[in-house]
């Protein structure tokens, strides 16, 4: 899906909240348990993994900037990651992390006002609402604390109030999606359904990115011209896809694209190539137990 009529957000943060901050009650600390017990997972066979590496390498040699991705096929248990050692600025993808931390604190007990905040933050990518929710979960320290308790080790929330400058790796964002959607995870079923409902109904102009791989889609994107990169664009997309009977969690992060459209094209093509390999491969996966 390509971009049509996207209105750019001038800044990641605003001083004003989405509404009256005093009406937001800080969430109570929630006990966080690991999903399941022993989980049988797998990796792509070496030959298939190297073939996909080469395919992505060939494509990115023709593209400006850099990019990385991670995919987890929950149907087969296969995991794949690519070029993700160096973290990326998340921009509005950080709103998914904020949503997870907030829902963990609420445990299914959201007020009408809190539903307005979370809905606008995800569906409309409203920065004022994200700002307010970030404050509610304790800002940088609060989000870091939640993520570390979840085993999300390579994500560093932004300093002060700058949640949009949160840096992360694709695999960490796949982990965030796992915690947000896992039936054996700490979120109540009502919260899992609510999160997917929001991500399945973002503004049409913001429904680009991993949706290019097709199927049923729940996603959140991030886009930002970064001053530290001389105004070049950071373009990110994360989400859950249902493709040909496969339940996929995917994160594609990129930076230093000359235009927003160029970055979107890169992210979309990477998602298509990776999802195609994981869904068409009939190879036997190498199983491993993860405790």
């Amino acid at each position: 899906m390509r971009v049509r009529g996207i209105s750019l957000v001038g800044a990641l943060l605003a001083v004003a909240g989405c509404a009256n901050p005093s009406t937001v009650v800080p969430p109570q600390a929630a006990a966080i348990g690991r999903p399941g017990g022993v989980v049988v997972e797998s990796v792509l066979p070496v030959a298939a993994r190297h073939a996909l590496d080469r395919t992505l390498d060939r494509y990115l040699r023709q593209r400006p900037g850099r990019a990385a991705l991670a995919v987890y096929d929950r149907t087969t248990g296969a995991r794949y990651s690519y070029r993700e050692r160096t973290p990326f600025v998340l921009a509005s993808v950080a709103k998914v992390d904020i949503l997870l931390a907030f829902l963990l604190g609420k445990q299914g007990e959201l007020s009408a006002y809190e539903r307005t905040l979370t809905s606008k933050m995800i569906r409309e990518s409203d920065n004022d609402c994200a700002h307010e929710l970030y404050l509610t979960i304790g800002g940088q320290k609060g989000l870091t604390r939640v993520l570390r308790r979840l085993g999300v080790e390579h994500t560093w929330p932004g300093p002060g109030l700058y949640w949009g400058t949160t840096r992360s790796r694709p695999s960490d964002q796949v982990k965030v999606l796992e915690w947000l959607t896992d039936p054996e995870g700490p979120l109540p079923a009502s919260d899992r359904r609510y999160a997917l409902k929001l991500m399945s109904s973002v503004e049409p102009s913001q429904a680009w990115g991993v949706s290019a791989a097709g199927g049923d889609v729940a996603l959140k994107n991030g886009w930002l011209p970064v001053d530290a990169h001389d105004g070049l664009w950071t373009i990110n997309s994360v989400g859950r896809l249902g493709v040909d009977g496969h339940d996929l969690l995917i994160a594609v992060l990129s930076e230093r694209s000359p235009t927003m459209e160029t970055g979107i094209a890169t992210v979309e093509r990477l998602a298509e190539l990776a999802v195609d390999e994981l869904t068409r491969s009939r190879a036997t996966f190498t199983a491993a137990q993860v405790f």
Side-chain angles (χ1 to χ4, degrees), residues 10 118 141 212 230 247 250 281 284:
T118 51
K141 290 183 178 179
D230 298 322
D247 183 2
I250 181 169
S281 177
T284 302

Side-chain angles (χ1 to χ4, degrees), residues 194-272:
Y194 179 64
L196 286 173
K197 179 181 178 181
L198 297 183
M199 295 175 68
S200 299
S201 56
V202 299
E203 288 288 324
S205 62
Q206 299 178 17
W208 42 266
V210 296
S211 56
D216 297 323
V217 181
L219 57 69
K220 182 70 191 83
N221 298 325
W223 59 97
L224 179 72
V226 177
D227 290 342
H229 299 161
D230 298 322
L232 297 175
W233 284 84
T234 282
I235 302 293
N236 302 320
S237 185
V238 305
R240 182 181 183 181
L241 307 177
V243 181
D244 295 334
H246 292 256
D247 183 2
L248 302 159
L249 303 178
I250 181 169
V252 187
L253 308 181
S254 75
E255 65 177 25
R256 301 176 188 268
S257 288
T259 66
M260 182 176 179
E261 291 74 16
T262 301
I264 289 173
T266 297
V267 164
E268 291 189 338
R269 185 57 180 153
L270 290 174
E272 289 173 333

Side-chain angles (χ1 to χ4, degrees), residues 72-90:
Y72 174 35
D73 185 339
R74 297 167 80 170
T75 303
T76 64
R79 291 184 185 269
Y80 172 79
S81 61
Y82 174 78
R83 285 193 180 183
E84 63 162 9
R85 178 169 296 182
T86 304
F88 293 76
V89 172
L90 286 184

